PDB file of all heavy atoms in Angstrom:
ATOM      1  N   SER N 282      26.719 -18.501 -29.482  1.00 93.00           N
ATOM      2  CA  SER N 282      28.119 -18.188 -29.748  1.00 93.00           C
ATOM      3  C   SER N 282      29.017 -18.909 -28.744  1.00 93.00           C
ATOM      4  O   SER N 282      29.122 -18.480 -27.593  1.00 93.00           O
ATOM      5  CB  SER N 282      28.364 -16.680 -29.655  1.00 93.00           C
ATOM      6  OG  SER N 282      29.741 -16.389 -29.726  1.00 93.00           O
ATOM      7  N   PRO N 283      29.677 -19.978 -29.148  1.00 94.00           N
ATOM      8  CA  PRO N 283      30.551 -20.692 -28.208  1.00 94.00           C
ATOM      9  C   PRO N 283      31.642 -19.812 -27.612  1.00 94.00           C
ATOM     10  O   PRO N 283      31.963 -19.940 -26.428  1.00 94.00           O
ATOM     11  CB  PRO N 283      31.154 -21.809 -29.082  1.00 94.00           C
ATOM     12  CG  PRO N 283      30.144 -22.024 -30.165  1.00 94.00           C
ATOM     13  CD  PRO N 283      29.575 -20.669 -30.447  1.00 94.00           C
ATOM     14  N   LEU N 284      32.209 -18.894 -28.431  1.00 95.00           N
ATOM     15  CA  LEU N 284      33.300 -18.067 -27.926  1.00 95.00           C
ATOM     16  C   LEU N 284      32.810 -17.093 -26.858  1.00 95.00           C
ATOM     17  O   LEU N 284      33.433 -16.946 -25.791  1.00 95.00           O
ATOM     18  CB  LEU N 284      33.952 -17.307 -29.078  1.00 95.00           C
ATOM     19  CG  LEU N 284      35.178 -16.459 -28.715  1.00 95.00           C
ATOM     20  CD1 LEU N 284      36.268 -17.322 -28.102  1.00 95.00           C
ATOM     21  CD2 LEU N 284      35.708 -15.719 -29.944  1.00 95.00           C
ATOM     22  N   ILE N 285      31.679 -16.403 -27.105  1.00 97.00           N
ATOM     23  CA  ILE N 285      31.149 -15.467 -26.109  1.00 97.00           C
ATOM     24  C   ILE N 285      30.670 -16.226 -24.874  1.00 97.00           C
ATOM     25  O   ILE N 285      30.861 -15.770 -23.738  1.00 97.00           O
ATOM     26  CB  ILE N 285      30.014 -14.617 -26.711  1.00 97.00           C
ATOM     27  CG1 ILE N 285      30.537 -13.782 -27.885  1.00 97.00           C
ATOM     28  CG2 ILE N 285      29.396 -13.710 -25.655  1.00 97.00           C
ATOM     29  CD1 ILE N 285      31.642 -12.809 -27.522  1.00 97.00           C
ATOM     30  N   SER N 286      30.080 -17.404 -25.069  1.00 98.00           N
ATOM     31  CA  SER N 286      29.669 -18.231 -23.929  1.00 98.00           C
ATOM     32  C   SER N 286      30.863 -18.579 -23.056  1.00 98.00           C
ATOM     33  O   SER N 286      30.784 -18.541 -21.822  1.00 98.00           O
ATOM     34  CB  SER N 286      28.993 -19.514 -24.420  1.00 98.00           C
ATOM     35  OG  SER N 286      27.795 -19.243 -25.101  1.00 98.00           O
ATOM     36  N   GLU N 287      31.976 -18.912 -23.708  1.00 97.00           N
ATOM     37  CA  GLU N 287      33.194 -19.245 -22.966  1.00 97.00           C
ATOM     38  C   GLU N 287      33.710 -18.041 -22.181  1.00 97.00           C
ATOM     39  O   GLU N 287      34.099 -18.157 -21.017  1.00 97.00           O
ATOM     40  CB  GLU N 287      34.256 -19.737 -23.951  1.00 97.00           C
ATOM     41  CG  GLU N 287      35.592 -20.073 -23.320  1.00 97.00           C
ATOM     42  CD  GLU N 287      36.638 -20.427 -24.358  1.00 97.00           C
ATOM     43  OE1 GLU N 287      36.260 -20.657 -25.529  1.00 97.00           O
ATOM     44  OE2 GLU N 287      37.838 -20.448 -24.002  1.00 97.00           O
ATOM     45  N   PHE N 288      33.688 -16.858 -22.821  1.00 98.00           N
ATOM     46  CA  PHE N 288      34.204 -15.665 -22.159  1.00 98.00           C
ATOM     47  C   PHE N 288      33.312 -15.235 -20.992  1.00 98.00           C
ATOM     48  O   PHE N 288      33.790 -14.583 -20.049  1.00 98.00           O
ATOM     49  CB  PHE N 288      34.355 -14.519 -23.171  1.00 98.00           C
ATOM     50  CG  PHE N 288      35.690 -14.477 -23.848  1.00 98.00           C
ATOM     51  CD1 PHE N 288      36.142 -15.556 -24.594  1.00 98.00           C
ATOM     52  CD2 PHE N 288      36.511 -13.376 -23.738  1.00 98.00           C
ATOM     53  CE1 PHE N 288      37.383 -15.533 -25.209  1.00 98.00           C
ATOM     54  CE2 PHE N 288      37.756 -13.330 -24.347  1.00 98.00           C
ATOM     55  CZ  PHE N 288      38.187 -14.419 -25.090  1.00 98.00           C
ATOM     56  N   LEU N 289      32.038 -15.589 -21.031  1.00 98.00           N
ATOM     57  CA  LEU N 289      31.110 -15.186 -19.962  1.00 98.00           C
ATOM     58  C   LEU N 289      30.787 -16.325 -18.999  1.00 98.00           C
ATOM     59  O   LEU N 289      29.898 -16.181 -18.158  1.00 98.00           O
ATOM     60  CB  LEU N 289      29.804 -14.665 -20.585  1.00 98.00           C
ATOM     61  CG  LEU N 289      29.911 -13.346 -21.361  1.00 98.00           C
ATOM     62  CD1 LEU N 289      28.564 -12.996 -21.993  1.00 98.00           C
ATOM     63  CD2 LEU N 289      30.363 -12.202 -20.447  1.00 98.00           C
ATOM     64  N   ALA N 290      31.502 -17.426 -19.094  1.00 98.00           N
ATOM     65  CA  ALA N 290      31.180 -18.615 -18.295  1.00 98.00           C
ATOM     66  C   ALA N 290      31.164 -18.327 -16.796  1.00 98.00           C
ATOM     67  O   ALA N 290      30.308 -18.839 -16.060  1.00 98.00           O
ATOM     68  CB  ALA N 290      32.160 -19.737 -18.619  1.00 98.00           C
ATOM     69  N   ASP N 291      32.099 -17.501 -16.328  1.00 97.00           N
ATOM     70  CA  ASP N 291      32.195 -17.197 -14.887  1.00 97.00           C
ATOM     71  C   ASP N 291      31.733 -15.779 -14.570  1.00 97.00           C
ATOM     72  O   ASP N 291      32.005 -15.257 -13.478  1.00 97.00           O
ATOM     73  CB  ASP N 291      33.639 -17.380 -14.412  1.00 97.00           C
ATOM     74  CG  ASP N 291      34.128 -18.812 -14.581  1.00 97.00           C
ATOM     75  OD1 ASP N 291      33.328 -19.734 -14.328  1.00 97.00           O
ATOM     76  OD2 ASP N 291      35.291 -18.995 -14.978  1.00 97.00           O
ATOM     77  N   ALA N 292      31.022 -15.138 -15.507  1.00 98.00           N
ATOM     78  CA  ALA N 292      30.615 -13.741 -15.331  1.00 98.00           C
ATOM     79  C   ALA N 292      29.196 -13.651 -14.785  1.00 98.00           C
ATOM     80  O   ALA N 292      28.397 -14.583 -14.913  1.00 98.00           O
ATOM     81  CB  ALA N 292      30.704 -13.003 -16.660  1.00 98.00           C
ATOM     82  N   THR N 293      28.875 -12.527 -14.179  1.00 98.00           N
ATOM     83  CA  THR N 293      27.515 -12.232 -13.717  1.00 98.00           C
ATOM     84  C   THR N 293      27.074 -10.906 -14.319  1.00 98.00           C
ATOM     85  O   THR N 293      27.874  -9.964 -14.434  1.00 98.00           O
ATOM     86  CB  THR N 293      27.449 -12.142 -12.185  1.00 98.00           C
ATOM     87  OG1 THR N 293      28.402 -11.164 -11.724  1.00 98.00           O
ATOM     88  CG2 THR N 293      27.769 -13.480 -11.545  1.00 98.00           C
ATOM     89  N   ARG N 294      25.806 -10.854 -14.706  1.00 98.00           N
ATOM     90  CA  ARG N 294      25.313  -9.623 -15.314  1.00 98.00           C
ATOM     91  C   ARG N 294      25.097  -8.554 -14.263  1.00 98.00           C
ATOM     92  O   ARG N 294      24.556  -8.827 -13.185  1.00 98.00           O
ATOM     93  CB  ARG N 294      24.010  -9.861 -16.089  1.00 98.00           C
ATOM     94  CG  ARG N 294      23.657  -8.667 -16.974  1.00 98.00           C
ATOM     95  CD  ARG N 294      22.418  -8.895 -17.798  1.00 98.00           C
ATOM     96  NE  ARG N 294      21.200  -8.812 -17.003  1.00 98.00           N
ATOM     97  CZ  ARG N 294      20.643  -7.671 -16.608  1.00 98.00           C
ATOM     98  NH1 ARG N 294      21.223  -6.508 -16.879  1.00 98.00           N
ATOM     99  NH2 ARG N 294      19.524  -7.686 -15.919  1.00 98.00           N
ATOM    100  N   VAL N 295      25.496  -7.311 -14.569  1.00 98.00           N
ATOM    101  CA  VAL N 295      25.260  -6.174 -13.682  1.00 98.00           C
ATOM    102  C   VAL N 295      23.764  -5.864 -13.705  1.00 98.00           C
ATOM    103  O   VAL N 295      23.160  -5.759 -14.781  1.00 98.00           O
ATOM    104  CB  VAL N 295      26.077  -4.956 -14.136  1.00 98.00           C
ATOM    105  CG1 VAL N 295      25.788  -3.754 -13.242  1.00 98.00           C
ATOM    106  CG2 VAL N 295      27.566  -5.280 -14.142  1.00 98.00           C
ATOM    107  N   THR N 296      23.167  -5.708 -12.534  1.00 97.00           N
ATOM    108  CA  THR N 296      21.726  -5.461 -12.460  1.00 97.00           C
ATOM    109  C   THR N 296      21.366  -4.175 -11.720  1.00 97.00           C
ATOM    110  O   THR N 296      20.186  -3.878 -11.521  1.00 97.00           O
ATOM    111  CB  THR N 296      21.017  -6.643 -11.772  1.00 97.00           C
ATOM    112  OG1 THR N 296      21.587  -6.845 -10.467  1.00 97.00           O
ATOM    113  CG2 THR N 296      21.153  -7.920 -12.593  1.00 97.00           C
ATOM    114  N   GLU N 297      22.370  -3.393 -11.326  1.00 97.00           N
ATOM    115  CA  GLU N 297      22.112  -2.146 -10.602  1.00 97.00           C
ATOM    116  C   GLU N 297      22.926  -1.016 -11.211  1.00 97.00           C
ATOM    117  O   GLU N 297      23.907  -1.234 -11.917  1.00 97.00           O
ATOM    118  CB  GLU N 297      22.459  -2.299  -9.115  1.00 97.00           C
ATOM    119  CG  GLU N 297      21.621  -3.334  -8.380  1.00 97.00           C
ATOM    120  CD  GLU N 297      22.015  -3.450  -6.908  1.00 97.00           C
ATOM    121  OE1 GLU N 297      23.076  -2.886  -6.543  1.00 97.00           O
ATOM    122  OE2 GLU N 297      21.274  -4.096  -6.151  1.00 97.00           O
ATOM    123  N   GLY N 298      22.498   0.226 -10.907  1.00 96.00           N
ATOM    124  CA  GLY N 298      23.228   1.405 -11.362  1.00 96.00           C
ATOM    125  C   GLY N 298      23.055   1.651 -12.849  1.00 96.00           C
ATOM    126  O   GLY N 298      22.170   1.095 -13.504  1.00 96.00           O
ATOM    127  N   GLN N 299      23.940   2.489 -13.408  1.00 96.00           N
ATOM    128  CA  GLN N 299      23.787   2.900 -14.805  1.00 96.00           C
ATOM    129  C   GLN N 299      23.955   1.745 -15.778  1.00 96.00           C
ATOM    130  O   GLN N 299      23.487   1.808 -16.923  1.00 96.00           O
ATOM    131  CB  GLN N 299      24.775   4.013 -15.137  1.00 96.00           C
ATOM    132  CG  GLN N 299      26.245   3.594 -15.111  1.00 96.00           C
ATOM    133  CD  GLN N 299      27.160   4.676 -15.659  1.00 96.00           C
ATOM    134  OE1 GLN N 299      26.826   5.364 -16.623  1.00 96.00           O
ATOM    135  NE2 GLN N 299      28.327   4.855 -15.035  1.00 96.00           N
ATOM    136  N   TYR N 300      24.602   0.660 -15.340  1.00 97.00           N
ATOM    137  CA  TYR N 300      24.823  -0.479 -16.220  1.00 97.00           C
ATOM    138  C   TYR N 300      23.870  -1.638 -15.931  1.00 97.00           C
ATOM    139  O   TYR N 300      24.030  -2.729 -16.499  1.00 97.00           O
ATOM    140  CB  TYR N 300      26.269  -0.972 -16.085  1.00 97.00           C
ATOM    141  CG  TYR N 300      27.292   0.068 -16.463  1.00 97.00           C
ATOM    142  CD1 TYR N 300      28.232   0.518 -15.541  1.00 97.00           C
ATOM    143  CD2 TYR N 300      27.313   0.604 -17.743  1.00 97.00           C
ATOM    144  CE1 TYR N 300      29.179   1.472 -15.892  1.00 97.00           C
ATOM    145  CE2 TYR N 300      28.235   1.567 -18.102  1.00 97.00           C
ATOM    146  CZ  TYR N 300      29.178   1.991 -17.171  1.00 97.00           C
ATOM    147  OH  TYR N 300      30.095   2.941 -17.522  1.00 97.00           O
ATOM    148  N   GLY N 301      22.868  -1.421 -15.100  1.00 97.00           N
ATOM    149  CA  GLY N 301      22.009  -2.507 -14.673  1.00 97.00           C
ATOM    150  C   GLY N 301      20.881  -2.869 -15.612  1.00 97.00           C
ATOM    151  O   GLY N 301      20.231  -3.899 -15.439  1.00 97.00           O
ATOM    152  N   GLN N 302      20.627  -2.059 -16.624  1.00 96.00           N
ATOM    153  CA  GLN N 302      19.482  -2.265 -17.509  1.00 96.00           C
ATOM    154  C   GLN N 302      19.909  -2.903 -18.823  1.00 96.00           C
ATOM    155  O   GLN N 302      20.925  -2.529 -19.405  1.00 96.00           O
ATOM    156  CB  GLN N 302      18.822  -0.907 -17.788  1.00 96.00           C
ATOM    157  CG  GLN N 302      17.660  -0.951 -18.758  1.00 96.00           C
ATOM    158  CD  GLN N 302      17.124   0.446 -19.053  1.00 96.00           C
ATOM    159  OE1 GLN N 302      17.451   1.419 -18.355  1.00 96.00           O
ATOM    160  NE2 GLN N 302      16.305   0.564 -20.077  1.00 96.00           N
ATOM    161  N   LEU N 303      19.158  -3.885 -19.306  1.00 97.00           N
ATOM    162  CA  LEU N 303      19.343  -4.377 -20.662  1.00 97.00           C
ATOM    163  C   LEU N 303      18.653  -3.418 -21.620  1.00 97.00           C
ATOM    164  O   LEU N 303      17.517  -3.017 -21.397  1.00 97.00           O
ATOM    165  CB  LEU N 303      18.765  -5.787 -20.811  1.00 97.00           C
ATOM    166  CG  LEU N 303      19.513  -6.903 -20.073  1.00 97.00           C
ATOM    167  CD1 LEU N 303      18.804  -8.235 -20.264  1.00 97.00           C
ATOM    168  CD2 LEU N 303      20.963  -6.994 -20.531  1.00 97.00           C
ATOM    169  N   ARG N 304      19.337  -3.047 -22.679  1.00 95.00           N
ATOM    170  CA  ARG N 304      18.831  -2.018 -23.579  1.00 95.00           C
ATOM    171  C   ARG N 304      18.793  -2.535 -25.007  1.00 95.00           C
ATOM    172  O   ARG N 304      19.553  -3.441 -25.386  1.00 95.00           O
ATOM    173  CB  ARG N 304      19.716  -0.770 -23.510  1.00 95.00           C
ATOM    174  CG  ARG N 304      19.693  -0.051 -22.167  1.00 95.00           C
ATOM    175  CD  ARG N 304      20.693   1.091 -22.175  1.00 95.00           C
ATOM    176  NE  ARG N 304      20.529   2.022 -21.070  1.00 95.00           N
ATOM    177  CZ  ARG N 304      21.154   1.920 -19.904  1.00 95.00           C
ATOM    178  NH1 ARG N 304      22.008   0.914 -19.689  1.00 95.00           N
ATOM    179  NH2 ARG N 304      20.955   2.808 -18.951  1.00 95.00           N
ATOM    180  N   VAL N 305      17.931  -1.903 -25.832  1.00 92.00           N
ATOM    181  CA  VAL N 305      17.814  -2.226 -27.248  1.00 92.00           C
ATOM    182  C   VAL N 305      18.010  -0.945 -28.044  1.00 92.00           C
ATOM    183  O   VAL N 305      17.489   0.114 -27.684  1.00 92.00           O
ATOM    184  CB  VAL N 305      16.437  -2.836 -27.594  1.00 92.00           C
ATOM    185  CG1 VAL N 305      16.302  -3.025 -29.109  1.00 92.00           C
ATOM    186  CG2 VAL N 305      16.251  -4.171 -26.882  1.00 92.00           C
ATOM    187  N   ARG N 306      18.791  -1.034 -29.125  1.00 89.00           N
ATOM    188  CA  ARG N 306      18.903   0.079 -30.065  1.00 89.00           C
ATOM    189  C   ARG N 306      18.651  -0.465 -31.462  1.00 89.00           C
ATOM    190  O   ARG N 306      19.085  -1.567 -31.800  1.00 89.00           O
ATOM    191  CB  ARG N 306      20.277   0.740 -29.996  1.00 89.00           C
ATOM    192  CG  ARG N 306      20.362   1.916 -30.966  1.00 89.00           C
ATOM    193  CD  ARG N 306      21.535   2.817 -30.731  1.00 89.00           C
ATOM    194  NE  ARG N 306      21.582   3.836 -31.777  1.00 89.00           N
ATOM    195  CZ  ARG N 306      22.550   4.727 -31.897  1.00 89.00           C
ATOM    196  NH1 ARG N 306      23.549   4.737 -31.047  1.00 89.00           N
ATOM    197  NH2 ARG N 306      22.524   5.622 -32.861  1.00 89.00           N
ATOM    198  N   LYS N 307      17.951   0.312 -32.277  1.00 82.00           N
ATOM    199  CA  LYS N 307      17.602  -0.137 -33.620  1.00 82.00           C
ATOM    200  C   LYS N 307      18.033   0.886 -34.661  1.00 82.00           C
ATOM    201  O   LYS N 307      18.467   1.992 -34.322  1.00 82.00           O
ATOM    202  CB  LYS N 307      16.100  -0.387 -33.725  1.00 82.00           C
ATOM    203  CG  LYS N 307      15.247   0.857 -33.500  1.00 82.00           C
ATOM    204  CD  LYS N 307      13.759   0.522 -33.609  1.00 82.00           C
ATOM    205  CE  LYS N 307      12.910   1.781 -33.400  1.00 82.00           C
ATOM    206  NZ  LYS N 307      11.464   1.494 -33.540  1.00 82.00           N
TER     207      LYS N 307
END
Side-chain angles (χ1 to χ4, degrees):
S282 172
L284 184 59
I285 298 300
S286 295
E287 178 185 347
F288 270 59
L289 292 177
D291 298 321
T293 56
R294 193 177 75 78
V295 178
T296 57
E297 297 180 348
Q299 67 171 322
Y300 299 119
Q302 177 184 347
L303 291 178
R304 294 175 166 91
V305 174
R306 181 166 175 185
K307 62 181 181 178

